[in-house]
Amino acid sequence: MAKEGVISIPMDIRSPTEIPSNRDSYLTLPPFSAGHMPDADHFTHSGSNHDLDSGTQKRKLEISKGDCQEQKRRKTEMDIQLPPEIMSMIISSAIDSEPRCALDLLVPDWSTCIRGNPELEKELDLTRIVTYTRGVGKQSSTLSTMFGHEYRGDILLSMKSLDDNILRLNAWYCNEAVRSFFQEGTQTFHLGVGDLSDDVAKESSQKSWNKSFPIRGERLKDILPFDDEPIETIKRRMPSGTPYTFRLLRHIVVHSPLTLMKVDACSLAGPDTKISDANLELLDVAIDLDRGSPLWLSWSQMPMLESVLLDLRIYSHDLNTDRGCLCKSDIIGRAQEMSRWLQLKLLVIAGLQSYSFETSYKSYTAERIEEDDEVDGEPNWIKVFMPAVRPGGKLILVDRLIDGDGLFHSSVVGVETRSS
């Protein structure tokens, strides 16, 4: 990344961590010029009001207006005094934020970290957190089950917060801050309602709707690659132009808000949109397919990932029983695809055994969980996802019997989601 000795930092230096792309056919959003540097919102917010990165907590540098010229003079002197690797360390430290609990990032609407009556919840076993730690060397695997979630049980993830004052210094500082933000910090993505095309009332084929991804979320689509999207999909690059932003990612969270369970074609199109019943059904199908978006991430293009947190609560939800949005064979197949490319330090999955799919692990040891194919008639999800976790890594399943509003879900009557 850096040459030996003390050198001047050029304005247009390429990304120090450039990684060759194996998908150069992606269209890309243009890099930024030195005279048009972006602000922090460009990287942390989507183009939609429904898709905000709630994990970012800004921490501004205290630079008064009266000191601007003096700061610029000192910055210019500093440019020719410090080698790039030292500046990279300073920038990384400057954009540090408070670590966040993994469960608070993944399922904030379950409020796992702050409960109104934690003792009662423990008594009723409302929240269950199963942790499997894969054995390494002579050390055996372990399995533990915890009901409720206390501060001492937090799984903390590193966070970064971009600062406009750094981004606007010059092109090198901007590129280095953005690199550190995406490579070292945890990135939280949210499924959310996007803007429908102007031809929403005219679309009449399943093929056209399959490319719409109506609830995938703008920032999610802007940055992350998916195996089910067209090859020409536009993806974000670094400010310098290379590499693709997703190639830097180490820690990602994909959250699907519970409020999306209430979204359907009618609510999405709006009462004033003139659309046929046939097209409404096609839009409903597209929405249902999109609910399983976290599984369709292109793991082969993000082999540097170390922490992956996926919100799959749709699988256990009554809506999945009614609509068949996500079946177990899809989950198993995508888990196998994940295992081909990733060896994670941390894998957290929410919702595979929630509500009516509640499962007991009381009789299970780590040895048994590594052998059995099923648990209470459902796939043994720990065994299914275990190959994607490296030796010494953790696989965590978090589930609840009820949602945060305290209303119990009705019993699952059908067996559609329990069949392949």
Side-chain angles (χ1 to χ4, degrees), residues 20 31 80 132-133 155 163 166 197 199 224 231 261 297 315 320 325 374-375 392 399 401 410 414:
I80 61 175
Y132 167 80
T133 304
I155 309 129
D163 190 293
I166 296 177
S197 69
D199 296 329
L224 296 183
I231 192 69
M261 304 294 185
L297 286 166
Y315 176 73
N320 195 32
C325 312
E374 292 186 349
V375 176
D399 292 280
L401 293 182
S410 60

Side-chain angles (χ1 to χ4, degrees), residues 34-52:
H36 298 84
M37 304 311 297
D39 59 16
D41 284 351
H42 177 84
F43 300 100
T44 59
H45 292 176
S46 72
S48 167
N49 292 332
H50 302 280
D51 182 31
L52 300 180

Side-chain angles (χ1 to χ4, degrees), residues 234-246:
I234 294 174
K235 293 298 171 186
R236 173 70 64 190
R237 285 182 183 264
M238 288 284 288
S240 62
T242 56
Y244 290 109
T245 304
F246 63 75

